[in-house]
Amino acid sequence: MSSAVATRSRTEVAQESAYDPFASAGNELGGSSAIYAKFNGNSGEMSYGSNATEIDEGEEIVADVAGARRGWICWKDEKVVDEVMVPIVQGPPPGKHELADHGPYTEHDDGTKDGWSEQFAIDFRLLGDGHDGVQITYKTTTKSAMRPLGDLLKDYGRQYKNNPGALPIVTLEKGSYMPKEKKHGKKYFPKFPIKDWIGEDDLIAQYGDGRRTSEGDENANIVEEPKTPPKKDAPKQVTKATAKAEPAKAAPAAEPEVDDEEAELLRQLAEKRAAKAAAAAAAEAPAEEAAPATETAKPVPAGERQARRRSF
């Protein structure tokens, strides 16, 4: 073993072992965050998510004991400024004296203090009706909640070798105690006794992987392009100006364009004028061969044009 590895502090090793690069990158990209559970020591109620969905006493829960973490969390001015968590299977977390100093720390009027506090975290899958196997994360820093979690670890240690590849199914129960200052009333804490075991493959087959889209997300970043209906060709409007500028196009035999009577009259008038112009040109040059139908009619003298207008 090299001296560089041998002299590394437990804090460095613990922080590296607790760091998940994939989870970190996912959070930076806006991936779904964990759904957290909380236990109210005053009422004895346990809930999860932003809507505070309640977990009833006696509900069955799958506990990922093998993935549980121990460590520390640092609070300052009502905000988390640091957190060091180590999976239990990797050994104990660093000592408090090895943690970074984020002081000065404040003591608040309600008796709480800023600074580092011991913390325990574990993931659960809820099997009760309406929860659909959702995965939640439960974190606690209270001594009254850590003791029953310690009991869960001991029960797991005694039984897991007889249940290889399986996860413990626990039930949510609650205990109570009277604090030294009785004016605050009875306090509650959760308990998680092991009742049964389930294979991981069976759990996934029945309830999926437990992940749920973050509340209010619903894949809103995926925007489907609006489906535009095909455009219908609008009927062409024929006016006096367009009739003079463009020769009228023959309409399909099945659907003759007779919508604009004025346009039809103008077309007939233009045909008659062209026929008269051709007849007048032929009368002036009897010796010349008749021009092909596709040739342009010769210019007509102004006097004759005037005479033709009168005769029409």
Side-chain angles (χ1 to χ4, degrees), residues 259-272:
D259 296 338
D260 197 332
E261 295 181 0
E262 184 179 0
E264 182 65 19
L265 292 175
L266 289 174
R267 185 181 64 79
Q268 294 176 4
L269 176 61
E271 288 179 355
K272 290 180 180 181

Side-chain angles (χ1 to χ4, degrees), residues 19-288:
Y19 176 69
D20 184 345
F22 302 103
S24 177
N27 290 332
E28 290 177 3
L29 293 174
S32 300
S33 58
I35 300 176
Y36 290 100
K38 59 183 178 180
F39 185 85
N40 189 323
N42 295 320
S43 64
E45 295 178 351
M46 191 171 188
S47 60
Y48 67 91
S50 59
N51 293 328
T53 303
E54 189 173 352
I55 306 171
D56 295 330
E57 187 174 5
E59 285 196 19
E60 291 188 337
I61 302 171
V62 174
D64 183 13
V65 180
R69 288 88 65 197
R70 290 174 61 196
W72 303 88
I73 185 169
C74 184
W75 289 84
K76 185 175 182 179
D77 299 329
E78 299 182 353
K79 294 181 181 178
V80 176
V81 295
D82 203 351
E83 187 176 29
V84 177
M85 300 296 290
V86 181
I88 288 178
V89 295
Q90 295 182 8
K96 190 174 183 178
H97 65 281
E98 298 178 82
L99 303 173
D101 184 6
H102 297 287
Y105 301 123
T106 304
E107 182 172 355
H108 301 282
D109 295 337
D110 60 359
T112 58
K113 297 179 181 179
D114 286 345
W116 288 99
S117 298
E118 192 175 1
Q119 181 176 247
F120 185 93
I122 186 171
D123 296 327
F124 290 138
R125 295 284 302 276
L126 305 181
L127 307 185
D129 294 340
H131 303 303
D132 301 323
V134 64
Q135 179 173 313
I136 60 175
T137 297
Y138 174 55
K139 292 183 176 182
T140 184
T141 58
T142 62
K143 297 295 182 183
S144 60
M146 285 189 180
R147 292 190 189 97
L149 288 170
D151 293 336
L152 171 60
L153 295 178
K154 292 177 184 178
D155 289 344
Y156 179 83
R158 287 190 293 264
Q159 300 182 42
Y160 80 94
K161 292 182 180 179
N162 297 326
N163 299 276
L167 299 168
I169 298 177
V170 304
T171 55
L172 172 61
E173 297 181 3
K174 59 184 178 182
S176 64
Y177 69 97
M178 187 63 70
K180 292 181 179 179
E181 297 185 9
K182 296 182 180 180
K183 63 181 180 180
H184 296 302
K186 185 185 293 186
K187 297 295 182 181
Y188 297 89
F189 57 87
K191 298 190 296 183
F192 305 99
I194 296 176
K195 299 297 183 180
D196 202 351
W197 294 77
I198 185 173
E200 188 172 0
D201 292 340
D202 293 336
L203 175 65
I204 293 175
Q206 294 180 47
Y207 298 97
D209 61 7
R211 297 178 184 176
R212 183 180 292 179
T213 305
S214 297
E215 298 175 22
D217 185 4
E218 298 295 338
N219 298 320
N221 59 312
I222 301 177
V223 180
E224 184 179 359
E225 293 184 1
K227 297 179 181 179
T228 305
K231 294 182 179 179
K232 296 182 180 179
D233 294 333
K236 187 174 181 180
Q237 298 291 331
V238 181
T239 62
K240 291 183 180 180
T242 56
K244 292 179 180 179
E246 298 179 0
K249 294 182 180 180
E255 294 181 313
E257 290 188 1
V258 293
D259 296 338
D260 197 332
E261 295 181 0
E262 184 179 0
E264 182 65 19
L265 292 175
L266 289 174
R267 185 181 64 79
Q268 294 176 4
L269 176 61
E271 288 179 355
K272 290 180 180 181
R273 286 180 177 175
K276 288 184 178 182
E284 289 180 0
E288 297 180 5

